[in-house]
Amino acid sequence: MSERTKRSDYIEWAKTQSHAKFTLAASGIPHFPIADLGASMEDIEISGPSWYGYEPLQQAMAEKCGVSVDAVVAATGTSMANFMAMAAIIEPGDEVIIERPAYDPLVSAAGFLGAVVKRFDRRFEDGFRIDPREVEKQISKRTKLIVFTNLHNPTSVFTDTQTLRQIGDIAREAGARVLIDEVYLEALFEKSPGSAFHLGSEFVTTCSLTKAYGLSGLRCGWILAEPELAKKIWRVNDLFGNIPAHSAERLSVVALDNLQKITDRAQALLDFNRPLLEAFLDSRTDLETIRPGVGTVVAPRLKSGKIEALCSLLVEKYETSIVPGRFFEMPDHFRIGISCDSENLKSGLERLAQALDEIKV
Ligand SMILES: Cc1ncc(COP(=O)(O)O)c(C=O)c1O
């Protein structure tokens, strides 16, 4: 029997090699400074009453998502939310169908849990949209879970309600559930249609304040699941720890109370940066890009040339980082993020243009 997955090459790369003077590899809004949060020392405490959730935080997350408190499981970021939801649903040998291209930890976590991982493709030619027929092709009686991201990482493509409902129908008929990582849906802000959780009990969704708000260090994540499953997920959480970092829970309540201010900062940055990206893409005939017009990342395809050569040149000569597409199972593509500081984005894109010109000759 082959060994279970016990690592994520992408996360290791992101931690050790994605940082440069001009980082285009990041996918989240820059850190929101604590000085701007409006928190006082009285808001923070080291320890407190947090058992199956800290009540004020449970209330705040439930209110934000428009759900009842018993449908919300607190988690250490979307990462742990994904892991716990999978762990509660999957038995070793169960089939799990995951999108491709995919954010690696989703695939690796399913492998770690002993799932038989099957894939459905989101194709460049289809604008990376989900085709429910591709999902249906992979379904069997052993399928327990269908997994994807909305917005899609690495392309930011949005999956609409009609498609979600179709996938929900496929899952229900097979007795499976649908797990959707919605961490980038938050970056739609007031244009977000809301969580797919609202579409039916087969939907389980995960999210956090990480990407759209610049609050990654709070690790404020959550899972929305029908209450019986939510209880199971809380019990899985018991295996990983007795109590959470209470000061982070307290700060998360303050952040959720002030979310409009935090949203305004993020929205203004993305609104300013998006035209910079569009102008860059307009100027490049050597790239083909699905441009969803939303989200924090895009994944251009390099029409000819080697991505690895481009990445090395960018790092070594231009002090600029992008994500090589191989980490998303799309070796002809690379991912760039637009949620960084605007000066960083301008300089990074200029350098990317120079490197692209250089590998052409
Ligand atoms: C799809 C997706 N889910 C989850 C995460 C991690 O989120 P968190 O920091 O809240 O654990 C990332 C980070 O890149 C991501 O791209």
Side-chain angles (χ1 to χ4, degrees):
M1 218 168 99
S2 60
E3 240 188 58
R4 284 181 303 146
T5 315
K6 292 181 187 161
R7 60 185 296 159
S8 167
D9 290 341
Y10 171 54
I11 296 298
E12 187 179 341
W13 177 89
K15 286 180 177 175
T16 58
Q17 288 175 64
S18 70
H19 308 285
K21 187 165 178 195
F22 305 99
T23 299
L24 300 182
S27 60
I29 294 289
H31 296 165
F32 189 89
I34 192 164
D36 297 346
L37 193 59
S40 65
M41 273 313 274
E42 287 81 68
D43 291 315
I44 309 168
E45 196 43 86
I46 292 171
S47 304
S50 182
W51 314 118
Y52 289 105
Y54 172 52
E55 199 49 40
L57 180 56
Q58 286 294 113
Q59 292 284 355
M61 293 191 293
E63 198 175 307
K64 175 182 173 356
C65 301
V67 302
S68 60
V69 171
D70 59 0
V72 182
V73 181
T76 311
T78 311
S79 310
M80 198 59 169
N82 288 332
F83 186 84
M84 291 202 300
M86 282 191 192
I89 295 169
I90 302 169
E91 300 298 332
D94 285 343
E95 286 179 5
V96 175
I97 303 173
I98 307 179
E99 68 185 357
R100 180 170 52 207
Y103 173 62
D104 175 71
L106 293 171
V107 184
S108 296
F112 176 79
L113 291 165
V116 175
V117 177
K118 295 168 86 177
R119 313 301 298 278
F120 72 91
D121 286 313
R122 303 178 65 147
R123 295 203 175 81
F124 181 73
E125 305 78 59
D126 300 335
F128 289 112
R129 279 185 295 275
I130 295 180
D131 179 349
R133 287 168 305 186
E134 292 298 314
V135 179
E136 202 164 22
K137 272 188 212 160
Q138 301 301 329
I139 281 274
S140 84
K141 286 201 180 75
R142 292 169 58 205
T143 306
K144 270 288 168 57
L145 198 58
I146 299 163
V147 183
F148 56 94
T149 50
N150 193 21
L151 312 177
H152 183 215
N153 186 7
T155 66
S156 291
V157 169
F158 170 70
T159 300
D160 61 25
T161 303
Q162 194 196 342
T163 308
L164 293 174
R165 283 192 197 283
Q166 283 174 282
I167 295 166
D169 291 345
I170 294 167
R172 201 176 325 107
E173 214 163 288
R177 294 188 194 258
V178 186
L179 172 63
I180 310 177
D181 177 327
E182 297 182 333
V183 73
Y184 295 103
L185 198 62
E186 289 293 299
L188 294 185
F189 305 112
E190 80 281 358
K191 294 203 185 94
S192 170
S195 175
F197 168 80
H198 298 283
L199 300 179
S201 59
E202 57 276 10
F203 288 94
V204 182
T205 62
T206 57
C207 198
S208 67
L209 298 183
T210 297
K211 297 292 173 186
Y213 305 103
L215 293 168
S216 56
L218 286 181
R219 312 309 297 133
C220 179
W222 61 88
I223 301 150
L224 304 184
E226 50 92 1
E228 276 312 303
L229 177 61
K231 262 189 224 155
K232 272 194 183 172
I233 300 173
W234 277 118
R235 298 305 180 272
V236 168
N237 191 41
D238 288 344
L239 303 182
F240 296 103
N242 187 356
I243 48 167
H246 186 60
S247 47
E249 290 182 310
R250 301 275 289 240
L251 282 173
S252 299
V253 174
V254 178
L256 285 162
D257 284 346
N258 289 282
L259 206 58
Q260 192 55 52
K261 175 172 82 178
I262 302 167
T263 298
D264 291 346
R265 167 189 180 260
Q267 178 89 68
L269 182 70
L270 286 176
D271 287 349
F272 186 88
N273 284 0
R274 196 170 309 284
L276 302 176
L277 170 74
E278 297 297 341
F280 167 78
L281 293 174
D282 286 344
S283 73
R284 301 304 317 181
T285 53
D286 47 357
L287 301 178
E288 279 181 312
T289 311
I290 302 302
R291 302 196 207 184
V294 292
T296 60
V297 289
V298 286
R301 189 171 82 84
L302 184 62
K303 286 191 199 161
S304 69
K306 290 257 176 293
I307 296 288
E308 296 307 324
L310 173 66
C311 293
S312 306
L313 181 65
L314 267 173
V315 169
E316 283 154 27
K317 186 167 172 188
Y318 293 104
E319 301 175 282
T320 300
S321 63
I322 57 176
V323 184
R326 71 184 150 91
F327 287 118
F328 290 91
E329 308 159 285
M330 43 183 355
D332 300 337
H333 295 246
F334 58 91
R335 194 192 77 179
I336 46 181
I338 64 158
S339 55
C340 54
D341 165 78
S342 302
E343 286 308 313
N344 176 94
L345 181 62
K346 267 188 217 157
S347 303
L349 291 176
E350 273 165 26
R351 284 155 183 265
L352 176 56
Q354 286 169 329
L356 283 166
D357 288 343
E358 212 168 312
I359 59 163
K360 240 193 288 187
V361 283

